[in-house]
Structures are given as structure tokens and as C-alpha cells.
Amino acid sequence: MTYFPEEVLEHVFDFLSSHRDRNAVSQVCKSWFRVERWSRHRVFIGNCYAISPERVIARFPRVRALTLKGKPHFADFSLVPHDWGGFVYPWIVAMAKSYPDLEELRLKRMVVSDESLELLSRSFPNFQSLVLVSCEGFSTDGLASIAANCRVLRELDLQENEVEDRRGHWLGCFPDSCTSLVSLNFACLKGEVNLGALERLVARCPNLRSLRLNRAVPLEALHKILTRAPQLVDIGIGSYVHESNSEAYVKLCNAVLNCKSVQSLSGFLEVAPCCLPAFYPICLNLTSLNLSYAPGIQGNELINLIRHCRKLQRLWILDYIGDKGLEVVASTCKELQELRVFPYDPYGGGNATVTEEGLVAISMGCPKLHSLLYFCRQMTNAALINVAKNCPNFTRFRLCILDPTKPDHVTLQPLDEGFGAIVQSCKGLRRLSLSGLLTDQVFLYIGMYAERLEMLSIAFAGESDKGMLYVLNGCKNLRKLEIRDSPFGDIALLTNVGKYETMRSLWMSSCDVTLGGCKALAKKMPRLNVEIINEKDQMMENSHDDGEKVEKMFVYRTLCGPRRDAPDFVWTL
Amino acid sequence: MTSLGLEITELRLGLPGGCPPKEKNEKKREFSEIAEDENSSNSGGDRKTQTKTQIVGWPPVCSYRKKNNVHEKETAKNYVKVSMDGAPFLRKIDLNTHKGYPDLAAAFEKLFGCFGIGGVWKDSDSSEYIPIYEDKDGDWMLVGDTPWEMFTESCKRLRIMKRSEAKDVGLQSRGSQGNLQALVSEEKRVELKI
């Protein structure tokens, strides 16, 4: 072992950006552990209850950027009750005392109060970047604190949050001295915005690269904004409603022509059709297009827009694009890497949607495709086998057939073979979501072939405990497993308990695990929190017997023991 | 379609000035409750009751997106003209911004000050006005008979008619639609079509 001075080690470690690499070097020896911990500036915590803020601070004293995730993924689908947890406040309190240099905070599925935002804005003089994804609990008052107090703010990125809009003038709270903004995304806000303040803000921030507006920003304001910020790289359109041939539209066309750097386009939150040609000049350079919130853009208009986007790498779209539309995508977007097709009308029956044919067309036309989210009404094994052959590079494959137990619509067989082909062919697959009629066989394939799989989502699938065990025993890199409405019970839960300490979390709802099984798990594995979530009956500790099936269970490894902020309906065994 | 503000140039027969603003009192609440009850018994009026049974959290579309798409369907704008007997100019409202009949009644009250208009659906005399609408077939119908969504899809224009005119036609029950056509077509109305 050669001995380097610690400064040299630190310099070398600076080149390590991945958390896993840093985790690895910290385990080499004590001195490397010490150097690494003092030089780690970015920390990622995938489950905010796996560790306490105090312990993070003790291990890593000089953190400048923190990412925290709270609620389990199925909270997105209303499966987790509202006040389950995931509060960021204690983290901000702790960091306020110990991380004076904090610059970045990124939160996902956490509860963020206005109080937290206020404290955040006052505690870190160098704070630059706040990214909130799928969070809730705050209002525009909290945003006003951030705007007013964070002197060197560069990024305020709000993605798909539930924000109480108090219609205050939070945008006006950015002081005149704030000229540092690089990225501003408030598309998820529902209320009115002070347009004058917005325009002035844009005008005085020459480094602004990314701007995503909400639906309250009308077309007339858009052209003024684009004129002030022709350097924008990423634009989210708010409202796009106007009369064609209006003066505002003509001005917009000119403003768009000036925006030569745009690579990413999204929004169109309100659209009056027929005036998209204004954006054709931008389309040639677009690498990312998100029209999944723009149901007003349909039919030929949509197709014509896409025909101009030859360099597209990422496309998010609604399913009324249809198979024909996907064929146009396949023939136009040869650089496509990520495709998401969302359902426009999930409960309506049979309007134009996409089928297996569209997916096959995409797989044939877009060889670089590696990330897919696809909602459809029908699928076949043959199609999936075809897709697996055409696109062996999938890292993320999420297929959702709207009717949860629908078989191959041609052969009426389960879709085991189709998904089996996917996992066998795509050796780099890290994330997989299954749907349709599935037996234990698909899990046998997954356990056998999906070596790199990290996250698996299962719904209405499988026949017996064997299914879940194939996965637990087979997938070496599994980190997150979430299962709903599948016949896996205590045997599946308890046969390989050691596995759960190698994983971040396990979610099981409407399965066959019993209270007794969960208790046994908790007893065997003290470093797991086994949470039973039972909204209906809060006195469960006394009135339930062990044979009763558990409605919702969330298991995760933790160094902190049962959390102290659990609400009444959460029982940690 | 957005309004171009040209309603003021529309010509109508009738006295200048709208009806005097009335004060709201408990009667309005009474109406709202009843209209709500009637709405919830119409399966079409309530967005939550669907023909298929729905599974919680399925399909796995995140709730933020679900709320936004519902909102989107509603904000495909649906502006219709609203005229009121005696008002000098027409108004326009976007039917899709209203969630149901009580909401619509509230909008009428706000626009024209015609208090208690929803009471007509209770067959009460709480208002001197009755809301009617012209449907896709060109027939004049009493507002409130059909589920809300059926109404918003077929309504082309609205009219707030004076009860005194309707009484002549014997508007006792909801069945007497036919008389409305005669009544409306007999009236001489001059309108500037834009």
C-alpha cells in the first residue's frame, strides 16, 4: 500500500461522482474512510427513514448537496394515506445547525411545509438549487420566502407538486438584485402569476436556460418572455390559446425564430389548436418533447409537429397518438432513447389508443430506445418477443395494460413468454413493471435472467409464493420491490428474510401476508422497520389476530429503529 | 373560443338596464342542496360514478397527472352566449369551468343578479327567471333535466327567460317542453350574428 498525503487522496476522490464509487472507496481502509467522508459533498438518501439527519451529519460533515426521498413509490397512485410521513422539516433543522455551506436540496415525495421553506431560505447563505418532485404540504408563501431570501438562487424547479396557491405575488419577491437564475420551473402551480414581475425577472437573469411556465401565463406574455430570453434551452409553454392571425401570434412566431438554442419543449397546458407551426423552426433541434399535458394537440397537428423533430431523444406523449402516430415517430425519430405513452382517458372504453403494433413499430424504427413507459389496452407475447429482439438495450421497461389481468389478446395465453423474452434479451435491465395475465413462470424468468434488475413493480400477477421467491432468490441487485394484489403470502415473505437488508424497501398491499407473518419478520430482522398501514382501524394492536391478512405493508432497512413521527394508522412491529 | 367583447353590439328588444341586484339569503342554499341531490342521483352528472368498477390506484397514473388530465378535458373551452330578458347585452360563459347546475346558477346570479334562479328546478317561485337553452337540434329546453355533462355537450346557447312569459305557456312541470319552442320562436329577437 502506497501512502499518499491526504490532499492527494482527496483530489483523486474528487473525480468520483457516483455514490457507489464513493461508498466503495470509503471501505478500503480507515484513512480512505476518513478522507472520503470529509470530502463528500453530495449525499443521496433513497429513504429518509433509513437514517437520521444527525447520523448523516456525523458521518459527512461537509455536505453541500442532499437528495432525499420520502414516501414509497405507490404513494403516487393514492395507495399510501396522506399523512404517512416523509417530513423534511427535521432535516432542515438539523442541517441549519451543521451545514452552513448547503447549496442544493433535492426532494422527492416528501412533505414540505412553508415553515421548512422559510427556514431553508434563511439558514444557508450559499443556497443555490431547490428541486421538489411530487412533494406536497407547501404553498406559494413558502416559495415567496425562497425567492426573497436566497440571494444566489440559481435553480427553482417544481415538478408535479401539489402546491396550495395563495395567489400571492411570490414571483415579485425575487429582489431586483437577483440576477443569478438559471432554471425556473413553476408549471405545476395553478394560480395567477404576476406577469410583469415574471418578465422583469427573466430580463435581468442573463443565464436563464430553463423556463417552464404555468397555465396562467398567456400567449401575449410568452412572446415578450421569449424575446427577453432568446438564450433559453428548455421552454415549458403555459397557455397557448389565441386566435390565429392575431398580432400576438405573429409576434410569437418572430420571437420563436430568435430562440436558436432550444432543445427541450414541454407544457402547452392549455391549447387552442391550429397554431403549432410557430414552433416548427425549433423542432429541428429538439431533443426532448413533452406533450403529455397537452391533450389539446391531436391528430394531424400532432403528427405534423413530430415530423419536424428528427433529433428527438425523449418523447412523452398521450396515447391518442395511436399506432399510426407511433409509426410516424418510428420513421422520424431515429435518435429516440426514451418514450412514454400515457393514457388520455383511462376509464373511457376504446377511444383511439395504442396497441402492441405501435410498440413493435417503435422498436423497429428506434434502435437506441432504452427507456419505455407504455400504457395500452392490449398486448401479445409475439409483439414483446419481437420488441426484445429489436431493442436489447432496455434499461427501463414499464408496460401497463389497462385491464390488469388481460392475457395475450390473440392466443389468450399469459404474457409470461413475452416478458421473459424482455428480461432475457435486455441484460442491462434495471427497472421493470409488469402487467397483464401472468403466472409464476414470468417470475422464474425474472429470477433467472434479470441480473441487473434493481426495481420491480408487480400488480395482479402470479399464482403462488413461488413467484415471489424466484425473484427474491434470483435478482442479485434488487433494491426495490413493490407488489399489489398478488397471491404471495407468509411463506414468500419469510423464506429469505436476509434479502431485505440488501434492499431499500419492500411494499406489499392486498396480498396474502398475515399479521403473524409480519410479526415474525419483524422479530427475525431487527434492522428492518415493518410498517403495517391500516387506515380503517387504528386500534389494531388490540383487536386483531395473527391470522388476519394485512392490507398494506411497507418494509425497509434502517439504522434508526421505528420512526417517531408515524401517525396512528401506521403500526411498526 | 375566446370572446371578442362584441356582445355589447348585439341588439335585443327589451328595456335598458338589467334587473336590480338582489341580496342573497338562505333560499339560495336551499336550492343548492336540492340541485346537488338531484345531480348525484343522475349518474352522468357526477364524475366519480363510472359505469365500470374502478380499482384504487389503477391504472398506475400518478395522481398529479390524473388531476391535470381531468382538468384538461374540462378546459377544452366551451363558450356559449347567455342572454337574459331585459338585459341590454349578452354575456358569454365557459360551461366547462362549471361543475354542475348549482355552479351554473351561481354564475347566472353573478352575471345578471337574477337571484334564486335555480329554484325553478324545485318548481318553486323563488325567482322570476327561468333558464332555458337551445340544444344541438335547435330546440329550446329547460335547463336541469339532463345530467350535467349531457347538458354541456348539447347546449349551444342559454337564455334566462322571464317567468311571467313562461306562465302564459303553463310551465307547471318539466314535461311541457313543446310550448317553449312556440314561445321562443314567436318572439321577435334581433341579433347581430358575429
Side-chain angles (χ1 to χ4, degrees), chain B residues 132 134 138 140-141 159 161 165 169 178-189:
Chain B
I132 59 174
E134 184 182 4
W140 283 91
M141 320 281 290
R159 175 177 162 194
M161 190 169 73
E165 300 202 10
V169 217
N179 292 326
L180 262 178
Q181 322 308 329
L183 175 70
V184 170
S185 60
E186 268 171 30
E187 289 190 342
K188 300 182 183 86
R189 290 161 73 215

Side-chain angles (χ1 to χ4, degrees), chain B residues 9-23:
Chain B
T9 60
E10 296 207 355
L11 300 180
R12 295 214 50 198
L13 289 181
L15 293 173
C19 57
K22 302 247 166 75
E23 281 174 50

Side-chain angles (χ1 to χ4, degrees), chain A residues 76-79 160-162 187-188 215 241 243 269-270 292-293 295 316 318 342-347 375 400-402 404 435 459-460 484, chain B residues 1-4 47 50-77 79:
Chain A
D76 285 351
F77 316 131
S78 313
L79 288 178
E160 305 194 345
N161 303 288
E162 296 288 344
C188 65
R215 62 176 70 238
V241 174
E243 310 274 338
L269 304 174
E270 279 183 2
S292 64
Y293 287 110
W316 291 24
L318 289 166
F342 294 96
Y344 171 52
D345 187 8
Y347 305 117
F375 284 83
C400 178
I401 302 168
L402 291 172
S435 61
F460 304 96
R484 62 167 293 180
Chain B
M1 278 182 267
T2 48
S3 158
L4 293 176
R47 228 168 241 293
Q50 305 279 348
T51 44
K52 271 173 153 179
T53 45
Q54 289 172 47
I55 308 162
V56 173
W58 192 266
V61 176
C62 73
S63 44
Y64 172 87
R65 184 174 286 280
K66 262 192 203 156
K67 285 180 197 164
N68 261 269
N69 276 347
V70 167
H71 182 76
E72 263 311 312
K73 280 171 96 165
E74 289 171 354
T75 55
K77 310 258 174 204
Y79 280 103

